[in-house]
């Protein structure tokens, strides 16, 4: 694979991540200072970096607590940073949930709560209702992750089996004013979907949730279904007076990051086309669609002329059929690699902007016209790996994994398919 093209695609990824840099994003969205106290809470893979940036920008006293994934902590001067498990909740997550509720208790209408919310918070904040346990919530998460359902469907279900999601944390802060500063990692940038909206209420009803479960044929655990049948602990409605003074601001998103990458490409003399920042669906199917477009460009210069980088974002899903290693970005690429096998002039990068794709420590991987051939030379059939959800092993065998480490932000998946030759 051409190292210049890989470097070019890497630069585009880092431009996208930089556009979502916590300090840059927060500097344009700081709320007015309150007459009373400022309390900072937060959850997500980039919550610690957001908290550290907020401390640097906020020139007044503050306190608070945020929770992030194990290994994603960042030093803060005043704000307490807790770590918990992702993608399956653990006991540390229960303790972190309790700490967040304690941080917002006993406040007055003169106080301000700043909620720093980003992707990953759903798993980091377990809070099973009465009658359910952490084990129930863990099982629910595993079922949802394996279901292939869109993120909006998964989060709708989670909100109805939780005591913190769906705006409940903001409700607990009443009568304080809550300003939620959200880094969106969801298609469409609906803030109530990010981290299952602990501080942002959702208008969906239990009837809506039941329709989603049926439409996606999700086999939920019996304990969860019994809880739903009980009608207890429903999330608060958006029109509830406890939310009347609250504000929600999306401070970074996939759309803004893709625009930054596109501009960098154009500055380098390469055309850039953004397909969408909200693509959903099976990762392998999305890979086939991107491959078809890339082949059309490579062979016929349509719908875009070479050289061009085709960009997209959003959150695909993976329906687990096997027990391999990987994530949605490597699965997307493995499908694409098989579909562009032998078609010269195509190089692709797909990676999660938080730095972790699925179950391993890579953000994503690179694929090109020769990737499938290289895999077969290593004794690996790419289609067999695809069937068993083992994309990580396929790309690891040809040394094409893309490893960045935690980035400190999360605006969902970044996909870039370059067709043509780089300008001299």
């Amino acid at each position: 694979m051409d190292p210049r093209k890989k470097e070019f695609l890497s630069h585009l990824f880092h431009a996208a991540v930089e556009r979502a840099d916590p300090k840059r994003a927060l500097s344009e969205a700081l709320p007015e200072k309150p007459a009373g106290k400022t309390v900072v809470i937060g959850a997500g893979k980039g919550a610690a970096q957001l908290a550290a940036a907020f401390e640097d920008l906020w020139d007044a006293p503050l306190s608070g607590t945020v929770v992030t994934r194990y290994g994603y902590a960042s030093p803060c001067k005043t704000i307490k940073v807790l770590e918990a498990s992702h993608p399956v909740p653990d006991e540390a997550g229960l303790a972190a949930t309790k700490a967040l509720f304690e941080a917002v208790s006993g406040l007055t209408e003169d106080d301000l709560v700043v909620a720093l919310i980003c992707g990953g918070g759903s798993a980091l904040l377990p809070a099973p209702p009465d009658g359910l346990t952490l084990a129930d919530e863990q099982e629910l998460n595993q079922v949802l992750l394996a279901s292939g359902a869109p993120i909006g469907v998964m989060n709708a279900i989670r909100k109805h089996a939780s005591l913190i999601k769906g705006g409940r944390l903001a409700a607990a802060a009443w009568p304080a004013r809550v300003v939620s500063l959200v880094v969106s990692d969801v298609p469409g940038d609906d803030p109530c979907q990010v981290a299952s909206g602990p501080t942002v209420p959702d208008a969906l009803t239990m009837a809506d949730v039941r329709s989603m479960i049926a439409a996606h044929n999700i086999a939920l655990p019996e304990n969860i279904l019994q809880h739903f049948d009980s009608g207890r602990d429903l999330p608060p409605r958006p029109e509830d007076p406890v939310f009347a003074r609250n504000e929600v601001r999306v401070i970074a998103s996939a759309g803004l990051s893709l625009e930054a990458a596109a501009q960098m490409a154009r500055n380098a003399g390469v055309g850039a086309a953004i397909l969408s920042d909200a693509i959903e669906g099976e990762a392998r199917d999305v890979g086939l669609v991107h491959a078809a477009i890339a082949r059309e460009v490579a062979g016929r210069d349509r719908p875009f002329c070479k050289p061009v980088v085709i960009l997209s974002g959003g959150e695909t899903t993976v329906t687990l059929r096997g027990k391999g290693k990987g994530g949605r970005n490597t699965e997307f690429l493995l499908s694409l690699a098989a579909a562009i096998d032998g078609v010269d002039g195509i190089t692709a990068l797909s990676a999660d902007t938080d730095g972790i794709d699925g179950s391993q420590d890579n953000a994503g991987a690179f694929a090109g016209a020769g990737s499938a051939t290289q895999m077969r030379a290593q004794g690996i059939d790419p289609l067999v790996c695809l069937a068993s959800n083992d994309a990580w092993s396929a790309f690891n065998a040809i040394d094409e994994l893309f490893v960045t480490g935690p980035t400190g932000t999360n605006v969902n998946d970044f996909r870039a398919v370059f067709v043509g030759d780089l300008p001299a």
Side-chain angles (χ1 to χ4, degrees):
M1 202 176 304
D2 187 338
R4 288 183 64 231
K5 292 179 181 178
K6 289 173 61 176
E7 183 180 24
F8 171 70
L9 293 175
S10 296
H11 286 324
L12 299 189
F13 172 85
H14 290 297
V17 169
E18 184 178 340
R19 178 59 183 83
D21 175 74
K23 197 163 189 178
R24 175 178 177 176
L26 285 169
S27 65
E28 302 170 359
L30 294 178
E32 293 183 7
K33 293 181 177 61
K37 297 183 292 186
T38 298
V39 177
V40 178
I41 56 173
K45 295 178 187 177
Q49 288 79 7
L50 283 166
F54 188 87
E55 284 185 335
D56 288 343
L57 294 166
W58 194 254
D59 58 349
L62 57 80
S63 63
T65 303
V66 300
V67 57
T68 190
R69 176 178 173 158
Y70 291 126
Y72 279 50
S74 183
C76 289
K77 296 185 284 287
T78 303
I79 299 169
K80 183 184 298 183
V81 178
L82 305 177
E83 293 180 284
S85 176
H86 181 282
V88 178
D90 68 354
E91 292 283 352
L94 283 177
T97 297
K98 181 180 178 182
L100 291 186
F101 275 117
E102 289 173 350
V104 300
S105 66
L107 299 180
T108 73
E109 61 182 13
D110 290 330
D111 298 326
L112 169 69
V113 174
V114 178
L116 306 174
I117 307 298
C118 54
S122 295
L124 295 169
L125 296 177
D130 289 342
L132 296 178
T133 65
L134 175 61
D136 291 321
E137 195 160 343
Q138 290 171 329
E139 185 181 5
L140 172 63
N141 239 36
Q142 290 169 328
V143 167
L144 293 176
L145 290 171
S147 71
I151 188 64
V153 171
M154 290 195 284
N155 285 349
I157 294 169
R158 287 164 170 157
K159 291 175 191 180
H160 284 75
S162 171
L163 292 179
I164 191 170
K165 299 172 174 65
R168 292 173 174 91
L169 185 56
W174 186 86
R177 176 170 167 252
V178 179
V179 176
S180 298
L181 304 179
V182 179
V183 176
S184 173
D185 71 330
V186 298
D189 297 332
D190 185 347
C192 79
Q193 296 297 344
V194 181
S196 298
T199 58
V200 185
D202 192 341
L204 288 175
T205 65
M206 190 68 246
D208 296 324
V209 172
R210 291 187 187 281
S211 295
M212 292 176 177
I213 294 168
H216 294 275
N217 196 30
I218 303 172
L220 292 180
E222 186 61 32
N223 284 358
I224 301 296
L225 291 174
Q226 289 178 0
H227 172 72
F228 288 171
D229 289 341
S230 74
R232 298 191 307 269
D233 300 314
L234 295 175
R237 302 294 299 165
E239 60 271 19
D240 192 307
V242 298
F243 303 119
R245 299 172 61 224
N246 294 357
E247 293 182 37
V248 181
R249 304 172 188 174
V250 175
I251 62 173
S253 68
L256 294 172
S257 288
L258 289 176
E259 288 288 355
Q263 189 57 55
M264 174 174 277
R266 293 171 188 135
N267 291 344
V270 174
I274 299 175
L275 297 183
S276 171
D277 64 2
I279 290 178
E280 297 182 276
E282 282 286 330
R284 62 183 64 196
D285 296 336
V286 176
L288 291 176
V289 172
H290 282 64
I293 295 171
R295 291 197 308 268
E296 192 74 10
V297 173
R300 301 181 181 179
D301 267 330
R302 69 183 191 191
F304 316 113
C305 291
K306 302 184 290 291
V308 65
V309 62
I310 301 161
L311 299 167
S312 71
E315 184 168 341
T316 60
T317 51
V318 173
T319 301
L320 292 180
R321 301 167 173 86
K323 297 182 179 180
K325 300 176 182 178
R328 57 184 184 260
N329 287 282
T330 46
E331 179 139 332
F332 161 87
L333 281 172
L334 187 56
S335 176
L336 180 141
I340 63 169
D341 191 14
V343 181
D344 290 336
I346 303 175
T347 308
L349 167 65
S350 185
D352 196 317
T353 52
D354 66 16
I356 297 294
D357 180 45
S359 59
Q360 305 305 304
D361 65 354
N362 61 305
F366 294 97
S371 294
T373 299
Q374 289 177 289
M375 291 171 189
R376 288 191 289 268
Q378 297 296 321
I380 291 176
D381 186 328
L383 294 181
V384 171
C385 280
L386 189 62
S388 59
N389 304 116
D390 199 20
W392 182 90
S393 296
F395 286 105
N396 183 56
I398 62 172
D399 196 26
E400 292 295 358
L401 294 173
F402 180 58
V403 179
T404 64
T407 64
T409 191
N410 185 7
V411 288
N412 224 314
D413 298 335
F414 173 87
R415 293 179 287 269
V417 183
F418 177 67
V419 189
D421 294 315
L422 287 170

